[in-house]
Amino acid sequence: MKDLAPLIKAAWKARDNAYCPYSGFKVGAAMRSKATGKIYYGCNVENAAFPSGICAERGAVCNALATEGPGIEFDEIVVVTTADEPSAPCGSCRQMMVEFGTDAIVNSINAKGDKTRMTMDELLPNSFGPKSFKIKPSSKK
Ligand code: THU
């Protein structure tokens, strides 16, 4: 495992910018590009029309692709909240992340420092993804 400290720092910083007046539940996410080592991050952004909001993890994925392009693969992902237990990504975020990180590891961390560390395959077993279409990462253009 490469050093997670910069990812954790980026996730907490992003969390500070969360817009969540409806739930009051701030989430920060950061993910690292396998190829470049660059870190991309996001926070949850809610909306008065509730379903129009977006989770921190999916925001970070969009941020990463906008910068690095569709061939990106993640190796490590960090999700931070101040919940009592480390907060696992929701189902939509798992589906979004597995597209770009079939072997990524997801680290959920809370303010007390409790941690879970799980592979994408543990979080979303037998997933429907690029492999279902026989698409290789290098052909994601
Ligand atoms: N949320 C995330 O940002 N990520 C998740 O994986 C789960 C939930 C956000 C969405 C909403 O703004 C708030 O947490 C409460 O559900």
Side-chain angles (χ1 to χ4, degrees):
M1 180 196 359
K2 285 193 244 164
D3 184 20
L4 287 182
L7 276 158
I8 296 170
K9 193 174 170 192
W12 282 116
K13 196 164 174 232
R15 182 184 170 277
D16 284 343
N17 290 329
Y19 175 71
C20 52
Y22 306 104
S23 73
F25 190 73
K26 289 185 173 197
V27 185
M31 33 203 82
R32 187 171 63 207
S33 163
K34 203 188 270 187
T36 66
K38 284 190 185 159
I39 293 171
Y40 300 95
Y41 47 86
C43 59
N44 53 329
V45 181
E46 297 183 350
N47 191 276
F50 292 174
S52 299
I54 188 165
C55 291
E57 297 91 322
R58 279 177 285 152
V61 170
C62 292
N63 187 11
L65 266 84
T67 310
E68 211 165 295
I72 197 165
E73 289 281 317
F74 303 113
D75 59 0
E76 294 278 354
I77 295 170
V78 168
V79 180
V80 299
T81 68
T82 58
D84 285 345
E85 304 291 333
S87 191
C90 78
S92 297
C93 290
R94 293 176 199 204
Q95 184 64 38
M96 180 85 157
M97 292 190 296
V98 80
E99 186 84 15
F100 304 103
T102 42
D103 55 4
I105 299 180
V106 180
N107 303 270
S108 293
I109 302 173
N110 69 7
K112 293 182 282 180
D114 301 329
K115 294 181 180 107
T116 60
R117 182 170 162 79
M118 298 177 77
T119 63
M120 258 329 301
D121 197 52
E122 286 171 317
L123 284 169
L124 195 64
N126 193 26
S127 62
F128 182 81
K131 68 179 185 321
S132 312
F133 287 98
K134 298 188 177 14
I135 290 178
K136 292 190 184 121
S138 58
S139 65
K140 284 187 188 165
K141 297 283 174 202

